[in-house]
Amino acid sequence: PARKSKTSKDSSSELAVCHMLLAELEAHRCAWPFLTPVNHKAVPGYKKVIKRPMDFSTIKEKLTSNHYLNLETFIADINLVFDNCKKFNEDQSEIGKAGYNMKRFFNKRWTELLQ
Ligand SMILES: Cc1ncccc1N[C@@H](C)c1cnc2ccsc2c1
């Protein structure tokens, strides 16, 4: 079949899904460690260990300023939040467990919405 070129409808509906997904993540009870940038002055070692910090408020800013060219770049930033969390926090720590819960929730929701 002919490759369907991405229409503006596709990208605007994808964008709507990104806003909805982000709103659900921010409202999740386990979102608290990820809502704002980690203050690396208050968290020893964070600046050195985590090369690309990311958090939900930064993603929202990028989304509202049309920074994301497509769905994949949005999903990559969401996963960066969880990858950073797994790298820096013990699996059984409160933050580590919150990150694991959020990642599972996100994977479930975006596959429901987009596949
Ligand atoms: C996601 C993450 N990874 C590593 C360290 C911190 C954080 N989150 C920040 C908000 C944060 C910063 N400070 C505290 C103190 C108790 S929970 C908490 C959470």
Side-chain angles (χ1 to χ4, degrees), residues 32-39 42-43 46 81 84-85 88-89 95:
W32 53 271
F34 315 108
L35 293 174
T36 54
V38 177
N39 174 355
V43 184
Y46 200 81
V81 173
N84 289 344
C85 178
F88 193 86
N89 300 284
I95 301 180

Side-chain angles (χ1 to χ4, degrees), residues 15-46:
L15 201 62
V17 170
C18 292
H19 275 283
M20 196 171 72
L21 270 172
L22 186 58
E24 288 183 16
L25 289 173
E26 289 172 322
H28 195 287
R29 65 180 184 80
C30 293
W32 53 271
F34 315 108
L35 293 174
T36 54
V38 177
N39 174 355
H40 54 77
K41 292 187 185 60
V43 184
Y46 200 81

